[in-house]
Amino acid sequence: RAADTYNSVIALDPAKLVTANGRRARLGLARLQIIDKNFDAANTTLEPLLKRNDKDPEVNFLSGLLALNQGDYKLAEDHVRKLLAVVPNNSQAQQLMGKIKYAQKDFVQAAHHLSIYLSTTPDDIAIRKQLTNSYIILNQLDQARSTLQPALTLNPDVSYIA
């Protein structure tokens, strides 16, 4: 039903003239399309927003997330770099860049970005595990241990091997 509501708003908003409501509707619809793995539709939904303002942080975040999900790490990185150029301290962008770098097997950069994100969101167990794995791969075992320890203290019965 949410997608129908978003599509109704977008239908009133021509692609050449994207209003604030149309922008919000496109962003919401694109999020749903990414979750549903409807990547072609998400690209189509985001395209007018990128044409209007290719530096828009929210649009670049979703475009980066979309590209990551499609396995296009270079494009994902380009979008996140644009976002970080506008909002350097954006923790979600740091998380996304960390995931991109991890997928590219650049574990030094993955650890850098994931640790920045984790400093603002320490309860994110999935990212804590990914950062721990990065440190293990880099043979930084003390860092791996200290990264994983808070999660073990909170949830001792959960498997932390990724």
Side-chain angles (χ1 to χ4, degrees), residues 25-80:
R26 285 181 182 281
L27 291 171
L29 182 59
R31 281 186 188 91
L32 292 176
Q33 292 165 331
I34 292 168
I35 290 168
D36 289 342
K37 299 189 184 326
N38 192 351
F39 301 139
D40 289 338
N43 274 318
T44 301
T45 300
L46 290 171
E47 184 179 351
L49 298 176
L50 281 171
K51 283 183 180 176
R52 183 168 185 230
N53 180 4
D54 72 340
K55 291 179 178 35
D56 183 314
E58 288 180 279
V59 176
N60 275 297
F61 178 82
L62 288 177
S63 296
L65 181 61
L66 175 59
L68 174 64
N69 279 286
Q70 292 178 299
D72 189 342
Y73 306 131
K74 173 72 173 100
L75 180 60
E77 186 176 343
D78 290 345
H79 283 294
V80 176

Side-chain angles (χ1 to χ4, degrees), residues 101-113:
K101 291 302 185 177
Y102 191 91
Q104 292 174 321
K105 300 185 183 332
D106 182 348
F107 299 109
V108 170
Q109 286 299 306
H112 169 75
H113 291 285

Side-chain angles (χ1 to χ4, degrees), residues 71-116:
D72 189 342
Y73 306 131
K74 173 72 173 100
L75 180 60
E77 186 176 343
D78 290 345
H79 283 294
V80 176
R81 285 195 189 287
K82 285 180 186 177
L83 190 168
L84 288 170
V86 176
V87 189
N89 297 324
N90 184 294
S91 66
Q92 293 298 316
Q94 294 291 345
Q95 177 200 40
L96 187 54
M97 185 64 88
K99 288 180 175 184
I100 293 164
K101 291 302 185 177
Y102 191 91
Q104 292 174 321
K105 300 185 183 332
D106 182 348
F107 299 109
V108 170
Q109 286 299 306
H112 169 75
H113 291 285
L114 294 174
S115 66
I116 291 171

